[in-house]
Amino acid sequence: MAGFNTSRRFKEIGIRKTLGASTADVLRLLIGEFLRPVLWSNLIAWPAAYLAMRWWLAGFDQRIALNPAYFLAPSLAAPLVAMLTVAEQAIRVSRAEPSRALRYE
């Protein structure tokens, strides 16, 4: 999805680079756009996962307490993986020459 989104916006990135945007600006734009749904999904998943785990664990004779670390670690890992994935694609596109993107216009 990150590769598709980046290739779809190739001309827009070329125009931004022509108008003076730096590689960091392009990275911030693409990572920020891709990170929003990941953060929203984390907010939705926390209560759902807590309720599902509580319901599932209630069926066992020996119970354990639900520790927030069980939810915090994956919630930190998901945005990190998303940022690394988008950053790799965004760096490749933002370092390309803007003239390549605008050649056929």
Side-chain angles (χ1 to χ4, degrees):
M1 191 166 148
F4 172 74
N5 190 24
T6 307
S7 65
R8 185 176 51 105
R9 297 180 72 178
F10 189 61
K11 288 184 183 182
E12 175 191 348
I13 293 168
I15 291 170
R16 286 180 186 272
K17 292 287 287 184
T18 302
L19 294 175
S22 66
T23 302
D25 294 333
V26 174
L27 277 172
R28 195 175 312 115
L29 172 77
L30 293 173
I31 288 175
E33 180 182 309
F34 200 75
L35 206 56
R36 240 176 262 125
V38 173
L39 294 175
W40 277 108
S41 65
N42 270 332
L43 279 173
I44 293 169
W46 288 343
Y50 176 77
L51 292 174
M53 289 292 291
R54 204 171 86 180
W55 173 78
W56 183 66
L57 290 172
F60 292 98
D61 290 335
Q62 296 178 351
R63 295 196 172 89
I64 62 167
L66 284 177
N67 190 348
Y70 299 144
F71 302 101
L72 189 60
S75 297
L76 293 175
L80 181 66
V81 169
M83 285 176 27
L84 291 175
T85 303
V86 174
E88 188 268 329
Q89 296 289 327
I91 288 172
R92 184 178 48 83
V93 170
S94 66
R95 287 191 178 167
E97 295 177 23
S99 60
R100 270 187 48 214
L102 304 173
R103 185 174 298 158
Y104 299 108
E105 289 288 323

